[in-house]
Amino acid sequence: MNVITQILLFIAEITSLFFLSRFCLQKAYPVLRRVFRNDRMIIYFISAIYLPGTVIHEMSHYIAALLLNLHPREVQFFPVIEERTVKLGHVLYERDPHDFIRSILVGVAPFWGGIISLWMIIQFKLFPGNVWWHTALFGYLILTITANMFSSRQDLVDAVYIIPLFLIIAALWYLFPLTIATPYIDQSVKLISHFIQAIQIPLLFSLGINGILVILLSVLK
């Protein structure tokens, strides 16, 4: 499988995972309402379940804003319930209305923070583990990370810039392949290929578990 095919497959997996994880949450809500019978309690329960992924999500925003000199002022990992919206967490930083590029980079930071976190889990051989509880613990962490890579509406607005960029690069590479190979280009292609291969295990695991949960929650509903 060449690197272009790997990139296109990666985009398809991420897109499927986003919609599947959101669909899973929609299916879980009516089931949880039968248990708690209180919307506020449901929000707190979901926030507690997603907390590890929320921390990684918000810290990705915070670190990106810090590196881009946007002076982050506040980071919140717990839910804020407003009149019509619920925020599982948020980061406040100085926004420059004339500098949308840095805002986009901060907005999409949780995507890269999540992907790097998945890569680190595989690189340190934390998943799957040697014992069941170790596998279950990091499997749960993987699920919360993948569920929080695109959790806010504003992040989604910014994240739409990622997919077209990948598609344009892939299309140009396919239509105008490089005929002069250099050690730098070859090494870069190998690194991209190895990186995508490394995170296949957590991505496929999360897709499978979310698919099973959707089926189970549909039955319980």
Side-chain angles (χ1 to χ4, degrees), residues 154-201:
Q154 183 58 47
D155 294 343
L156 291 178
V157 171
D158 295 328
V160 298
Y161 292 91
I162 295 177
I163 294 177
L165 178 61
F166 271 131
L167 291 176
I168 290 172
I169 293 174
L172 290 175
W173 201 331
Y174 178 79
L175 293 173
F176 306 102
L178 295 173
T179 56
I180 303 177
T182 66
Y184 177 78
I185 293 175
D186 290 342
Q187 187 64 25
S188 298
V189 170
K190 289 179 181 179
L191 287 175
I192 294 172
S193 178
H194 289 325
F195 183 86
I196 294 176
Q197 288 177 8
I199 61 174
Q200 285 303 299
I201 292 176

Side-chain angles (χ1 to χ4, degrees), residues 60-215:
S60 298
H61 281 312
Y62 184 89
I63 293 172
L66 195 64
L67 292 175
L68 294 170
N69 198 32
L70 290 177
H71 307 294
R73 298 192 301 268
E74 178 185 342
V75 58
Q76 176 64 257
F77 302 127
F78 301 101
V80 175
I81 303 175
E82 300 175 350
E83 291 184 2
R84 295 184 180 181
T85 60
V86 176
K87 297 180 180 179
L88 295 184
H90 67 268
V91 172
L92 297 180
Y93 61 93
E94 295 181 2
R95 292 176 178 267
D96 185 349
H98 303 292
D99 186 358
F100 67 93
I101 294 178
R102 285 192 295 174
S103 295
I104 291 172
L105 292 175
V106 174
V108 301
F111 173 80
W112 299 112
I115 292 298
I116 292 172
S117 298
L118 297 179
W119 179 79
M120 291 178 65
I121 289 174
I122 298 302
Q123 284 299 111
F124 288 104
K125 300 180 180 180
L126 300 175
F127 181 87
N130 296 324
V131 292
W132 70 267
W133 62 265
H134 191 275
T135 299
L137 176 63
F138 282 95
Y140 159 70
L141 181 59
I142 287 170
L143 290 174
T144 64
I145 291 172
T146 54
N148 279 275
M149 289 194 296
F150 305 104
S151 64
S152 71
R153 182 175 300 178
Q154 183 58 47
D155 294 343
L156 291 178
V157 171
D158 295 328
V160 298
Y161 292 91
I162 295 177
I163 294 177
L165 178 61
F166 271 131
L167 291 176
I168 290 172
I169 293 174
L172 290 175
W173 201 331
Y174 178 79
L175 293 173
F176 306 102
L178 295 173
T179 56
I180 303 177
T182 66
Y184 177 78
I185 293 175
D186 290 342
Q187 187 64 25
S188 298
V189 170
K190 289 179 181 179
L191 287 175
I192 294 172
S193 178
H194 289 325
F195 183 86
I196 294 176
Q197 288 177 8
I199 61 174
Q200 285 303 299
I201 292 176
L203 288 180
L204 293 176
F205 169 80
S206 188
L207 282 168
I209 295 298
N210 275 282
I212 293 172
L213 288 174
V214 167
I215 294 173

